[in-house]
Amino acid sequence: MNRWLLVGAGLLLQFSIGAVYAWSVFGKALQEAGPWELSKVQATLPFETTIAMIFVGTFVGGRLQDRRGPRVVALAGGLIYAVGIVLASLTRGSEDLWLLIATYGVVSGFGLGVAYIVPIAMLQKWFPDKTGLITGLAVGGFGFGAVLTSPVASWLIDADPDQPTKAFLWLGLAYLAMSLAGAALFRNPPEGYVVPGHEPAGSEEGGSTAKEYTAGEALRTPQWYLLTAILTLNVATGIALISQAAGSAEGIAGYSTGAAATIVGVLAIFNGAGRIVWAAASDRVGRMPSFATMLTLQGVCLLLLPHTGNAALFFVLAAVVYLCYGGAFGTMPATAGDFFGVKNAGAIYGLMLIGWSLGGVLGPVVISALLGDGEPDYTLGYTTVGVIALASVALTLVTKVPRARRAG
């Protein structure tokens, strides 16, 4: 089959599960709705739980897709994700916060993780000639997920502002249709598949005779832990802003509630674009220089963010953070392939995504605690996170490809 058709199918699946990045619209509504009136910390709990559960899902999905093939695993992940979202629509007030965490957080987060890892591992096998670009495209749809979801969710919430969770019913049904339509086309390439005209060559980042690591072997290398730490810190710094994007747009730059929801959707374009742009750029400039640049840009922008009251400048700084946040997800799968090979990519990168879960919990917890429940202290919050991002650059300077891969 045409391998680019599989790219389109993967993007459709990722678009549906990437809607999770529109959570700040729901988080803000849950703080304001009469039956809910959650604190900032409480309003982030369902989102944090979702991100935390992603690792469990990718661990299971990565191992299963290497053994059972991508289609059945992606179909199961999409179904579980949508069911969790639909069940979340049954919650009606603050006394149901536990149920919202269990359904939106635990159930949908697990399904999201199962589905997320599949197209990344599958498409690397179909595109050995374009590893950086294709892994960027493979996760690009995930970053774009909030582009449409944010304004649609805002519109659905406005129909019944006292019960914002009712919007989950229609969104969950839409996610179900999209994810199943995409996953139905998934398949691995046939045994012995080669790309016409592509001759794998040995390089410092691995070649045709380089060692293919198993998941267990990768876990016994220091490189696996260094890469996971880089991913964790990049996620934590970027998602700190993402989890507070709507409220920060209003509080720092003076956006209206409706405009802030729209901005969240527009910023998601940069989240998705970063996955493609940075992944493709890393093919040319190298993986570690790309990560160093992403962390530096995020740190500088977060330091400047709380000091701008200008709406346009706020948007530019936030867009750069989103671009670099997304870039890590596009670049890291190709980096893991360079370091450990693609034969067991599903299991190895699936394990590495514990960094997504750790960073996804730490970032929102730290920023919500620093901002506080009264008048938000944006300077303290974003300055702290910005310094963390800049300090993380040191890890990229000491992370090198394993000798067994360089020897290829």
Side-chain angles (χ1 to χ4, degrees):
M1 76 184 310
N2 187 323
R3 60 181 182 162
W4 289 101
L5 180 62
L6 290 170
V7 176
L11 287 171
L12 187 60
L13 170 66
Q14 295 280 36
F15 189 90
S16 67
I17 61 178
V20 69
Y21 282 131
W23 175 258
S24 66
V25 175
F26 285 99
K28 188 171 183 302
L30 290 170
Q31 293 175 57
E32 298 172 349
W36 290 90
E37 294 187 340
L38 302 182
S39 68
K40 279 187 175 66
V41 173
Q42 288 176 320
T44 63
L45 289 177
F47 178 70
E48 292 170 8
T49 306
T50 301
I51 301 300
M53 284 299 298
I54 287 174
F55 167 66
V56 181
T58 57
F59 176 78
V60 173
R63 290 177 174 270
L64 286 178
Q65 73 92 29
D66 285 338
R67 300 173 184 175
R68 302 295 180 87
R71 184 184 303 164
V72 64
V73 178
L75 287 170
L79 177 62
I80 295 169
Y81 170 72
V83 167
I85 299 295
V86 170
L87 290 176
S89 70
L90 301 177
T91 59
R92 288 294 178 267
S94 57
E95 70 278 2
D96 290 336
L97 177 60
W98 69 270
L99 182 59
L100 182 60
I101 293 171
T103 53
Y104 186 94
V106 177
V107 178
S108 72
F110 175 75
L112 191 163
V114 171
Y116 177 84
I117 192 64
V118 178
I120 297 172
M122 176 188 72
L123 289 174
Q124 284 191 79
K125 297 171 184 176
W126 281 100
F127 290 84
D129 53 328
K130 305 176 188 294
T131 55
L133 172 63
I134 209 61
T135 55
L137 287 172
V139 298
F142 191 90
F144 287 122
V147 174
L148 179 60
T149 302
S150 291
V152 170
S154 183
W155 176 72
L156 290 171
I157 290 170
D158 287 344
D160 191 350
D162 283 338
Q163 294 296 342
T165 53
K166 285 185 177 180
F168 287 131
L169 174 62
W170 302 110
L171 291 173
L173 294 175
Y175 301 156
L176 178 65
M178 294 166 60
S179 61
L180 296 187
L185 297 177
F186 284 12
R187 66 191 67 186
N188 278 327
E191 192 72 26
Y193 167 79
V194 294
V195 178
H198 173 63
E199 293 291 338
S203 72
E204 72 169 10
E205 293 189 341
S208 59
T209 61
K211 177 179 175 62
E212 292 281 345
Y213 284 77
T214 64
E217 289 171 336
L219 286 171
R220 290 193 289 272
T221 68
Q223 285 88 347
W224 186 91
Y225 297 93
L226 286 167
L227 292 178
T228 302
I230 291 170
L231 179 62
T232 300
L233 291 163
N234 196 92
V235 168
T237 54
I239 210 167
L241 173 60
I242 290 172
S243 66
Q244 301 289 337
S248 295
E250 291 185 44
I252 296 175
Y255 284 90
S256 67
T257 300
T262 301
I263 285 298
V264 171
V266 175
L267 286 172
I269 296 174
F270 293 88
N271 185 352
R275 296 161 190 253
I276 301 169
V277 171
W278 280 110
S282 73
D283 282 338
R284 295 180 176 272
V285 304
R287 312 301 187 199
M288 289 303 105
S290 295
F291 276 109
T293 306
M294 284 186 266
L295 287 165
T296 300
L297 287 173
Q298 283 191 89
V300 171
C301 289
L302 289 169
L303 289 175
L304 295 174
L305 194 71
H307 304 292
T308 174
N310 181 280
L313 182 56
F314 176 91
F315 176 81
V316 170
L317 294 173
V320 174
V321 173
Y322 271 68
L323 194 75
C324 296
Y325 170 84
F329 290 104
T331 306
M332 190 57 82
T335 307
D338 291 344
F339 277 53
F340 306 115
V342 300
K343 182 178 180 180
N344 301 297
I348 293 172
Y349 186 60
L351 288 169
M352 196 175 289
L353 284 174
I354 191 174
W356 188 4
S357 293
L358 290 174
V361 171
L362 290 173
V365 166
V366 169
I367 194 65
S368 60
L370 291 172
L371 293 182
D373 287 323
E375 185 68 23
D377 191 341
Y378 292 111
T379 299
L380 174 63
Y382 289 122
T383 299
T384 301
V385 177
V387 170
I388 291 172
L390 292 175
S392 303
V393 175
L395 291 176
T396 68
L397 304 178
V398 299
T399 305
K400 308 294 181 183
V401 177
R403 187 181 301 274
R405 291 294 293 171
R406 295 199 300 268

